[in-house]
């Protein structure tokens, strides 16, 4: 049956989307390094080539041109590569020995990665997180916590409905990375893998969402100037005369172009930040955290520290929409005012034209009267000459009498002819 049905060209890709980027089963003693590289389209493609160079050196299968994620065991470490819309994530994991913490803080997972290759990752580093996953057995308190995290900004919570404990400080340390410690109890490897992936995504999407904050701050300064200009224009429109309206309309049009240009340049970033913030909220709900020892939880920290940035982005987006609507309303009002004045000018012009037409009709009537007199004069003159010639042939009337009798007849005929011509012209 399958071979008989026409297949949609994207069926396999869409069907496998639910299996994209699956969590990886993890043991309870592992060091993980998660690196997020912000990259454009060219840099994302370069990351694929950079991955291929590492796999080629390790005699591994290379990714194809359409791969968006890959997992590979490279001997000393495991690699997970994911290609996203705006960034690329590299996740390295190294198993830890049982006595890893007995000799102090263990080395991060990046220590096992070739340093030169790691330093040449395409793009710009947006997030670098070092995560250590350890079992809770044998520890009455988190091991070496003071060496790992800053106590003044420590955040901790019980996660996975009490099956694990996570500690972090959301700080960038001397090695350029943030740090997190997860103490996992009796959790299945796949469940632990899902929990670790959600913790990594919280940090990834938090940083990606915050990219809208600098844009919002820059946009707010431009919006302040635009709002001041709009207020000045509104006041000028209220008291402007007819001669100033073209200049005001030009200023308003340029302001509308500036507002719409900024809106187009920032709306995509604000929409992306909103989506990233929603993913942060969802991942925090997914880790099912609860308070640990009276300390601030990850959700509470995000609510207090992330909400102002999120609100700033949302406020600037709403401010842009409101300003755009205000500019549109004032533009419509000014255009309506100009159109009304144009209509009034047109009505005055039509009235003037009607007056001129009436004058032309009167003048035309006068000219027609003169024309009747002139034509009658010439025709009667011709009749007089005919009467003089006709006397030799026996015409009984004198030329003067003939001309006097012909005058009313000729004038009436000329007048009637002109009126008939006018009626035919106006009828058509």
């Amino acid at each position: 049956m399958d071979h008989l049905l026409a297949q949609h060209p994207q069926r396999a890709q869409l069907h496998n989307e639910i299996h994209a980027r699956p969590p990886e089963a993890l043991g309870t003693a592992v060091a993980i390094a998660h690196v997020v590289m912000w990259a454009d389209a060219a840099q994302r493609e370069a990351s694929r080539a950079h991955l291929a160079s590492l796999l080629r050196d390790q005699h591994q299968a290379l990714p194809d041109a359409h791969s968006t994620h890959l997992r590979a065991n490279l001997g000393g470490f495991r690699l997970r590569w994911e290609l996203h819309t705006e960034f690329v994530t590299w996740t390295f994991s190294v198993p830890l020995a049982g006595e890893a913490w007995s000799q102090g803080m263990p080395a991060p997972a990046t220590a096992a990665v070739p340093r030169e290759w790691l330093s040449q990752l395409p793009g710009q580093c947006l997030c670098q997180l070092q995560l250590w996953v350890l079992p809770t057995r044998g520890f009455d308190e988190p091991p070496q916590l003071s060496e790992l995290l800053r106590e003044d900004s420590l955040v901790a919570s019980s996660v996975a409905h009490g099956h694990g404990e996570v500690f972090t400080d959301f700080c960038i340390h001397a090695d350029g990375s943030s740090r997190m410690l997860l103490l996992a109890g009796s959790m299945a490897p796949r469940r632990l893998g899902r929990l670790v992936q959600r913790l990594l995504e919280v940090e990834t999407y938090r940083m990606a969402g915050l990219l809208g904050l600098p844009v919002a701050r820059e946009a707010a300064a431009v919006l302040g100037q635009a709002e001041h200009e709009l207020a000045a224009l509104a006041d000028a429109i209220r008291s402007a005369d007819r001669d100033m309206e073209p200049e005001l309309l030009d200023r308003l049009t340029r302001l509308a172009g500036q507002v719409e240009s900024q809106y187009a340049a920032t709306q995509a970033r604000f929409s992306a930040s909103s989506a990233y913030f929603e993913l942060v909220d969802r991942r925090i709900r997914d880790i099912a955290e609860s308070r640990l020892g009276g300390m601030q939880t990850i959700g509470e920290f995000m609510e207090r520290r992330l909400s102002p940035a999120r609100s700033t982005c949302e406020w600037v987006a709403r401010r842009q929409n409101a300003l755009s609507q205000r500019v549109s309303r004032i533009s419509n009002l000014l255009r309506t005012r100009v159109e009304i004045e144009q209509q009034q000018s047109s009505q005055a012009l039509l009235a003037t034209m009607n007056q001129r037409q009436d004058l032309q009709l009167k003048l035309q009537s006068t000219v027609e009267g003169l024309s009747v007199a002139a034509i009658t004069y010439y025709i009667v003159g011709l009749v007089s000459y005919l009467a003089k010639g006709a006397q030799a042939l026996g015409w009984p009337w004198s030329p003067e009498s003939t001309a006097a009798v012909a005058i009313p007849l000729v004038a009436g005929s000329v007048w009637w002819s002109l009126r008939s011509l006018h009626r035919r012209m106006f009828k058509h």
Side-chain angles (χ1 to χ4, degrees), residues 145-161:
L145 195 58
S146 60
E147 298 182 10
L148 181 67
L149 303 172
R150 298 178 183 175
E151 296 183 3
D152 56 346
S153 57
L154 185 63
V155 176
S157 61
S158 175
V159 295
H161 301 288

Side-chain angles (χ1 to χ4, degrees), residues 116-127:
E116 182 178 358
W117 177 89
L118 183 62
S119 64
Q120 297 176 356
L121 291 180
Q124 297 175 321
C125 182
L126 180 65
C127 172

Side-chain angles (χ1 to χ4, degrees), residues 21-325:
R21 304 180 180 92
E24 188 173 0
L26 294 176
T28 54
V30 60
I32 298 173
H34 182 67
V35 180
V36 179
M37 300 299 294
W38 195 259
D40 56 21
Q43 291 170 332
R44 290 195 296 275
E45 287 302 316
S47 71
R48 192 192 310 273
H50 196 61
L51 171 66
S53 67
L54 177 65
L55 297 177
R56 190 181 298 110
D57 293 340
Q58 299 292 329
H59 305 288
Q60 298 275 352
L62 303 183
D64 58 43
H66 303 287
S67 296
T68 58
H69 67 280
L70 182 141
R71 291 186 296 185
N73 190 344
L74 302 179
F77 63 95
R78 288 186 60 83
L79 168 65
R80 180 187 180 99
W81 170 79
E82 295 182 2
L83 189 65
H84 295 261
T85 305
E86 296 185 299
F87 54 85
V88 182
T89 62
W90 305 81
T91 306
F92 311 95
S93 58
V94 177
L96 294 176
E99 65 281 359
W101 283 87
S102 61
Q103 300 175 357
M105 187 177 67
T110 49
V113 183
R115 180 169 300 179
E116 182 178 358
W117 177 89
L118 183 62
S119 64
Q120 297 176 356
L121 291 180
Q124 297 175 321
C125 182
L126 180 65
C127 172
Q128 184 176 346
L129 174 64
Q130 303 291 346
L131 170 64
W132 289 272
V133 182
L134 296 174
T136 56
R137 296 186 303 273
F139 295 112
D140 296 330
E141 295 182 358
Q144 310 292 337
L145 195 58
S146 60
E147 298 182 10
L148 181 67
L149 303 172
R150 298 178 183 175
E151 296 183 3
D152 56 346
S153 57
L154 185 63
V155 176
S157 61
S158 175
V159 295
H161 301 288
H163 289 84
E165 298 175 359
V166 61
F167 301 85
T168 185
D169 56 7
F170 291 104
C171 295
I172 297 179
H173 293 261
D175 59 353
S177 63
S178 55
R179 297 174 180 176
M180 185 177 293
L181 173 65
L182 173 62
L183 299 181
S186 56
M187 298 179 63
R190 290 200 173 275
R191 185 181 183 186
L192 179 59
R194 289 194 298 270
L195 176 60
V196 168
Q197 181 171 329
R198 289 164 183 166
L199 291 173
L200 297 178
E201 289 176 347
V202 166
E203 186 68 4
T204 300
Y205 295 136
R206 175 182 75 91
M207 292 299 298
L210 284 172
L211 285 174
L213 183 59
V215 177
R217 289 171 175 168
E218 293 178 2
V222 177
L223 285 174
Q225 298 175 358
E227 289 170 344
H228 179 74
E229 173 69 10
L230 182 61
L233 278 170
D235 185 68
I237 290 171
R238 182 173 56 85
S239 58
D241 55 20
R242 182 177 301 180
D243 296 335
M244 295 178 59
E245 288 175 353
E247 178 185 356
L248 293 175
L249 186 59
D250 179 68
R251 288 174 57 189
L252 193 57
T253 302
R254 285 188 279 110
L255 178 62
Q258 178 186 358
V259 172
E260 293 302 322
S261 175
Q262 187 200 48
Y263 180 85
T266 59
Q267 183 61 25
R269 183 74 269 146
F270 291 154
S271 298
S273 292
S274 178
Y276 288 135
F277 287 140
E278 290 179 3
L279 287 173
V280 171
D281 294 338
R282 191 175 304 170
R283 295 301 181 267
I284 291 176
R285 290 195 300 268
D286 291 342
I287 64 177
E289 66 173 351
S290 57
R291 190 175 299 278
L292 179 64
M295 302 184 69
Q296 186 176 209
T297 65
I298 295 177
E300 292 172 343
F301 178 87
M302 292 295 181
E303 178 67 24
R304 293 181 56 187
R305 304 296 179 88
L306 201 62
S307 292
R310 178 189 299 191
S311 299
T312 299
C313 295
E314 294 175 351
W315 170 70
V316 171
R318 291 194 302 268
R319 191 175 170 188
Q320 283 182 330
N321 291 330
L323 181 60
S324 178
Q325 294 174 2

Side-chain angles (χ1 to χ4, degrees), residues 380 383 398-409:
V380 170
V383 170
S398 65
E400 290 80 6
S401 299
T402 304
V405 173
I407 287 175
L409 296 175

